[in-house]
Amino acid sequence: MNLVQQYVHLDLDAVAAVTPEQIDTYLCGARWVRAEAISPDLQAWTRPASEPLPGHLQALCTLPARQARLIWSGYVSSPVRRRRDYAARVEELLLVLGMFERRLASAVLSDIATVPVA
């Protein structure tokens, strides 16, 4: 399934119901490392420094750096609080995590949604 199909098949109500705390808990559990804040509304997350790219993304190493960054920027960003564009930010995160983990975005959403709300 390509990215556009994954986006179309996401349940928007489920996306909007996910909390920033659930996303943070999921990312911590998946071994993402909190990096600096991108903006007051977005938090960057990276992989541990010694960890190589997953096998399906190794081909990016053969591309010029500028082109590779268009596909994989080296980090994901999660919304810190709900704002007008919250659902769009969560959808973007789901698609990037799905690409990185080689899973469907809806499967990542399902995993995040099952994280207990604090």
Side-chain angles (χ1 to χ4, degrees), residues 4-83:
V4 173
Q5 290 171 319
Q6 288 190 54
Y7 175 78
V8 169
H9 290 288
L10 283 175
D11 177 359
L12 294 180
D13 292 332
V15 169
V18 169
T19 66
E21 293 79 16
Q22 286 176 300
I23 295 169
D24 285 359
T25 303
Y26 174 82
L27 290 171
C28 287
R31 296 186 33 234
W32 288 88
V33 178
R34 187 184 305 268
E36 74 273 356
I38 298 171
S39 73
D41 299 322
L42 288 176
Q43 174 68 50
W45 294 81
T46 60
R47 296 303 291 176
S50 61
E51 183 179 271
L53 282 173
H56 64 283
L57 294 178
Q58 286 293 324
L60 293 176
C61 297
T62 64
L63 295 174
R66 191 175 129 258
Q67 290 176 335
R69 273 193 305 275
L70 292 173
I71 300 168
W72 173 246
S73 61
Y75 66 91
V76 296
S77 58
S78 67
V80 175
R81 60 179 168 247
R82 293 181 182 272
R83 290 186 49 106

Side-chain angles (χ1 to χ4, degrees), residues 89 91 118:
R89 298 289 186 178
E91 289 170 345

